[in-house]
Amino acid sequence: PVKTSIIQRGDIVIFPRGNVAWQGHVGFYIGTHTESGKWIILGGNQNKEVKYSLFSPTRSIGIRRAIVPE
């Protein structure tokens, strides 16, 4: 797990979706929207599109960092 204080571009962010604990929505952290403080997330299947959306950091239920083998 990655803490919100050290999130970086490309980290995978998990948000809740639906009413069942195992359901979730994931996207890639792109940056922080300076005016609102919300995170800019690149996600797929958001209204049947791949697009950038703003999400509140407090809604995040997890952050992971992909480790790419050398």
Side-chain angles (χ1 to χ4, degrees):
V2 175
K3 295 181 181 182
T4 57
S5 61
I6 60 168
I7 193 170
Q8 61 184 325
R9 187 179 181 98
D11 284 348
I12 300 164
V13 185
I14 304 115
F15 295 98
R17 179 181 66 87
N19 297 322
V20 182
W22 62 267
Q23 291 180 331
H25 176 76
V26 298
F28 294 98
Y29 175 82
I30 302 301
T32 301
H33 190 270
T34 55
E35 291 179 21
S36 68
K38 292 185 177 182
W39 288 347
I40 303 167
I41 301 293
L42 175 62
N45 198 20
Q46 293 178 251
N47 296 324
K48 299 182 182 181
E49 297 179 299
V50 174
K51 66 179 187 175
Y52 297 100
S53 297
L54 298 177
F55 287 87
S56 174
T58 59
R59 290 196 55 223
S60 168
I61 57 174
I63 304 167
R64 301 294 185 268
R65 185 162 296 148
I67 305 297
V68 180
E70 295 183 25

